[in-house]
Amino acid sequence: MKRVIDVILALVAITLLALPLLLLMLLVRIKLGKPIFFRQIRPGMHGRQFQMIKFRTMTDARTADGDLLSDADRLTPFGRFLRSTSLDELPELINVIKGEMSLVGPRPLLVEYLDRYTPEQARRHEVRPGITGWAQVNGRNALSWDEKFKLDVWYVDNRSTWLDFKIMLLTLKKVIAKDGISAPGEATMPLFKGKE
């Protein structure tokens, strides 16, 4: 049932948002250049890897040695706007239609984190990752990694259609409030280094 709801709602959203999505593509191209989309391999359900797609929010600015600058230095005002409104996440609707993601579930994190999880934390991969999730509506990037993982596992154990709809409604509220966009003192979120 969850998969059917995901596909129907994602198709409806892409249809209704077709013109705004085209406008955003044009604005990203004008303000940030090529490529329009940020693509990155992320682990999905059971750790299976897929290519997640988002709107690009950062430049490719590098040091004299060719190393990428920090996230804070590469994040443009336009990129901050896309992130604060979560508009950068809209292309993930394609991942939902393809079956790689769900509308609701633990956010897909970096592949390099897979061997850093405790067995309990790794349970977040028992379900498809989501565009939004229980951790996102309960603090988002303002949470510690430990808090975020506990909320992810709670969702895995308590997921239901009703809870998914509740999370989607709470997500709209959080997006409007622009709440929990980044961790304190960070442009986004510090890297997860595993248990000390």
Side-chain angles (χ1 to χ4, degrees):
M1 186 65 178
K2 180 178 174 71
R3 177 74 187 128
V4 173
I5 292 171
D6 278 345
V7 172
I8 291 172
L9 291 182
L11 287 171
V12 168
I14 284 178
T15 302
L16 294 176
L17 296 172
L19 286 177
L21 284 169
L22 287 172
L23 177 59
L24 282 171
M25 288 171 67
L26 179 62
L27 288 172
V28 171
R29 176 69 178 85
I30 292 169
K31 293 181 174 292
L32 294 171
K34 292 181 181 178
I36 293 171
F37 298 108
F38 169 76
R39 300 170 191 268
Q40 190 174 56
I41 301 299
R42 298 284 177 100
M45 188 162 67
H46 306 308
R48 285 193 298 269
Q49 296 180 15
F50 69 98
Q51 188 178 72
M52 187 183 74
I53 179 171
K54 300 170 69 170
F55 280 124
R56 183 178 173 199
T57 59
M58 295 185 190
T59 68
D60 286 327
R62 295 177 182 269
T63 66
D65 296 327
D67 298 322
L68 280 173
L69 295 176
S70 70
D71 287 356
D73 290 328
R74 294 186 296 123
L75 188 60
T76 66
F78 179 65
R80 279 193 190 86
F81 165 75
L82 289 178
R83 287 186 177 213
S84 69
T85 56
S86 294
L87 291 172
D88 62 319
E89 310 283 356
L90 290 178
E92 290 169 31
L93 291 167
I94 296 167
N95 293 119
V96 173
I97 292 168
K98 290 169 68 178
E100 298 160 336
M101 291 180 65
S102 176
L103 293 174
V104 179
R107 285 291 298 157
L109 301 174
L110 300 178
V111 172
E112 65 197 70
Y113 293 173
L114 284 173
D115 61 359
R116 301 177 189 174
Y117 297 135
T118 65
E120 182 69 4
Q121 291 168 345
R123 294 191 58 228
R124 68 192 308 280
H125 291 287
E126 291 177 12
V127 298
R128 283 186 182 90
I131 293 178
T132 187
W134 190 234
Q136 277 58 52
V137 298
N138 282 286
R140 201 173 173 183
N141 288 334
L143 296 169
S144 69
W145 281 114
D146 191 52
E147 292 168 324
K148 190 176 290 192
F149 293 143
K150 284 178 180 173
L151 290 167
D152 287 343
V153 173
W154 184 91
Y155 173 80
V156 169
D157 290 335
N158 294 277
R159 63 192 186 275
S160 68
T161 302
W162 162 246
L163 180 60
D164 282 0
F165 279 116
K166 178 180 178 181
I167 290 170
M168 285 188 266
L169 289 173
L170 288 171
T171 297
L172 291 175
K173 181 179 174 185
K174 288 282 184 180
V175 167
I176 291 168
K178 297 183 180 180
D179 193 23
I181 298 164
S182 58
E186 300 280 344
T188 51
M189 186 79 185
L191 289 175
F192 172 60
K193 298 178 181 178
K195 289 289 184 183
E196 298 296 329

